[in-house]
Amino acid sequence: MKDFNSCPNTFTYNTMLHLLVQKQVYVLALAVYNQMMKSDCRPNRATYGILIDGLCKAGTIEDSINLFDEMTHRGISPDIMIYTVIVSGLCQEKRTGDAKRLLLDTTKMNKCSPDTIAYHALLNGFCKLGGMDEIVSILKCIKNEGFVVGLNGYSCLIDGLFRIGRFREACRLRHNLMSNRNIAPDCILYTIMMKGLTMEGKVEDAVKLLSEMASTGIVPDTFCYNTLIKGFCDMGLLDEARSLKLEISQNDCFPNSATYTILICGLCKKGIVDEAQQIFEEMEKLGCLPTVMTFNALISGLCKAGELEQAHFLFYKMEIGRNLIEHRYRVLELREMTAITTRKLPQRKVLQPSQPMSFKECPNYNTISKDA
């Protein structure tokens, strides 16, 4: 821009920051912010809102609070959206006490009134920790401020009751919502109910809720199916879990890494390691990347089944990625380049990323490590 005799303004920097935060490149976003400060371009409320939101999502709540303090020192008053973001971040770090003080005390000092979304964020944090006394206090605050506890608030409350083992109260509250308050449940509330029912071993009742969703026109999402699949796997009902996995695609959903990981865990617990390996390979072929939990579950299952060589290979695969053969030849080429040899390397067939290796297709791990 300097070549065109123009300098970026606050709007330009905010656009860049928003893009970088969306791409989760938080270090570069902070570098752009520092450049913004060096160029004497004043940040505004939107600038800090973008950065604070990104840092909270990255789990660096202390950096978010530092930016919040810097914002207030510059005379920029935060709005309720920024407060809500920090409250959510504090709750994720299980610092619900700090979140409550920030929302109920600091907002009043800055003449910024909490709204329903902010209260629900705080309510959700306490519900996940099971602090029922604090939950009742927050509900009173919501009503005293003239707000109505909506579906999201009641969903958080039901989830909290399940977490502390108050199963009957959670079911009773859900029944009262539908009968007395005329609040129609959504997919999130149904998923919470299914999770609570499966935790109590009432998987059949959870499946009935799935049918109830269909009758009311609510389409279950993948997370909803995963909750039921986990319930079946925990009880050793693998046939039911398999059928639910097939049902996901029929409802315009797709299994994700959590779906496959849950099934692999369930199969390995039953000692059905061969099928667990097949699911792992199917997962890769469909472009669904396995997580650390996926690898850990299958490696543990292979070790328990005495398949130590394949477990060792999977661990090696986890470290360097899928293209073991390509990695091997790159190492050989680097060695030959270091030795300054003039001979040409023979052409080798390299496995492409679109062709994930199965255990049967891969060479022995010991051979690879020895050659490399």
Side-chain angles (χ1 to χ4, degrees):
M1 293 182 72
K2 291 181 180 179
D3 295 337
F4 294 96
N5 197 24
S6 61
C7 296
N9 57 15
T10 305
F11 180 81
T12 312
Y13 278 112
N14 287 352
T15 304
M16 286 295 299
L17 290 172
H18 180 70
L19 178 63
L20 292 171
V21 167
Q22 274 191 329
K23 297 293 183 181
Q24 299 181 1
V25 192
Y26 303 116
V27 175
L28 187 55
L30 290 174
V32 171
Y33 170 73
N34 291 332
Q35 179 62 35
M36 180 182 185
M37 302 301 292
K38 289 179 182 178
S39 62
D40 293 330
C41 184
R42 293 184 178 181
N44 57 15
R45 183 184 295 164
T47 310
Y48 287 105
I50 293 167
L51 287 172
I52 289 172
D53 181 48
L55 291 172
C56 282
K57 289 177 179 177
T60 54
I61 186 64
E62 290 299 332
D63 292 335
S64 301
I65 294 173
N66 291 336
L67 272 178
F68 180 84
D69 293 338
E70 180 182 325
M71 176 184 182
T72 54
H73 289 157
R74 290 181 177 275
I76 302 173
S77 300
D79 57 10
I80 193 58
M81 291 181 63
I82 294 177
Y83 277 111
T84 304
V85 168
I86 297 181
V87 166
S88 298
L90 288 169
C91 288
Q92 287 178 359
E93 296 292 321
K94 299 182 180 180
R95 295 170 57 179
T96 48
D98 294 336
K100 184 180 179 181
R101 283 190 292 272
L102 178 70
L103 186 63
L104 301 184
D105 298 336
T106 311
T107 52
K108 291 180 180 179
M109 292 172 57
N110 293 331
K111 297 180 181 180
C112 182
S113 300
D115 59 4
T116 308
I117 299 174
Y119 276 121
H120 282 174
L122 184 61
L123 185 65
N124 185 41
F126 277 106
C127 285
K128 287 182 177 179
L129 295 179
M132 293 307 299
D133 293 336
E134 295 291 346
I135 291 170
V136 173
S137 174
I138 295 169
L139 288 173
K140 288 181 180 178
C141 288
I142 294 174
K143 292 180 179 179
N144 292 337
E145 292 291 332
F147 295 112
V148 177
V149 181
L151 177 60
N152 292 336
Y154 282 113
S155 297
C156 294
L157 185 56
I158 291 172
D159 186 34
L161 290 170
F162 275 128
R163 287 175 184 270
I164 61 175
R166 294 164 70 169
F167 173 78
R168 292 183 179 178
E169 291 182 47
C171 293
R172 192 182 304 118
L173 179 57
R174 184 249 178 181
H175 178 74
N176 291 336
L177 285 179
M178 298 181 65
S179 58
N180 299 334
R181 299 181 183 272
N182 294 322
I183 297 178
D186 59 358
C187 185
I188 295 175
L189 180 54
Y190 272 113
T191 304
I192 291 171
M193 290 297 302
M194 289 176 187
K195 182 181 178 182
L197 289 168
T198 54
M199 287 170 61
E200 291 291 320
K202 299 180 180 295
V203 184
E204 293 181 359
D205 293 337
V207 175
K208 290 179 182 178
L209 287 179
L210 192 65
S211 302
E212 184 180 313
M213 289 179 70
S215 63
T216 55
I218 300 175
V219 180
D221 57 10
T222 304
F223 186 76
C224 182
Y225 276 110
N226 288 348
T227 302
L228 278 178
I229 291 172
K230 186 178 185 303
F232 281 127
C233 287
D234 289 343
M235 296 189 67
L237 304 173
L238 297 180
D239 289 337
E240 289 82 352
R242 293 186 188 99
S243 63
L244 271 181
K245 183 248 181 183
L246 295 174
E247 188 178 324
I248 294 178
S249 57
Q250 297 176 2
N251 287 329
D252 296 329
C253 298
F254 296 95
N256 56 17
S257 59
T259 313
Y260 289 107
T261 303
I262 292 167
L263 284 170
I264 289 172
C265 286
L267 290 166
C268 288
K269 284 181 181 179
K270 287 288 186 179
I272 313 175
V273 183
D274 291 338
E275 186 177 346
Q277 287 178 290
Q278 292 174 7
I279 290 178
F280 185 87
E281 292 169 9
E282 175 191 337
M283 180 182 185
E284 289 190 304
K285 288 177 182 178
L286 294 175
C288 188
L289 296 177
T291 63
V292 176
M293 292 182 64
T294 315
F295 277 104
N296 289 346
L298 188 52
I299 289 172
S300 176
L302 289 168
C303 289
K304 290 178 181 178
E307 301 288 346
L308 300 181
E309 184 177 335
Q310 292 193 12
H312 198 183
F313 166 77
L314 191 62
F315 177 78
Y316 185 67
K317 184 177 183 179
M318 179 182 178
E319 283 189 319
I320 68 170
R322 293 190 293 180
N323 296 331
L324 295 178
I325 297 177
E326 184 177 0
H327 172 77
R328 175 191 178 187
Y329 290 134
R330 282 180 180 175
V331 172
L332 291 174
E333 288 172 3
L334 284 172
R335 284 186 176 181
E336 294 192 12
M337 288 174 63
T338 306
I340 319 178
T341 57
T342 56
R343 64 183 178 84
K344 293 184 178 180
L345 290 173
Q347 291 185 352
R348 301 178 176 95
K349 184 179 179 181
V350 178
L351 191 68
Q352 299 300 322
S354 59
Q355 300 173 335
M357 285 185 291
S358 65
F359 290 102
K360 296 179 181 178
E361 295 171 342
C362 292
N364 189 289
Y365 164 75
N366 294 325
T367 306
I368 295 175
S369 58
K370 185 176 180 181
D371 291 343

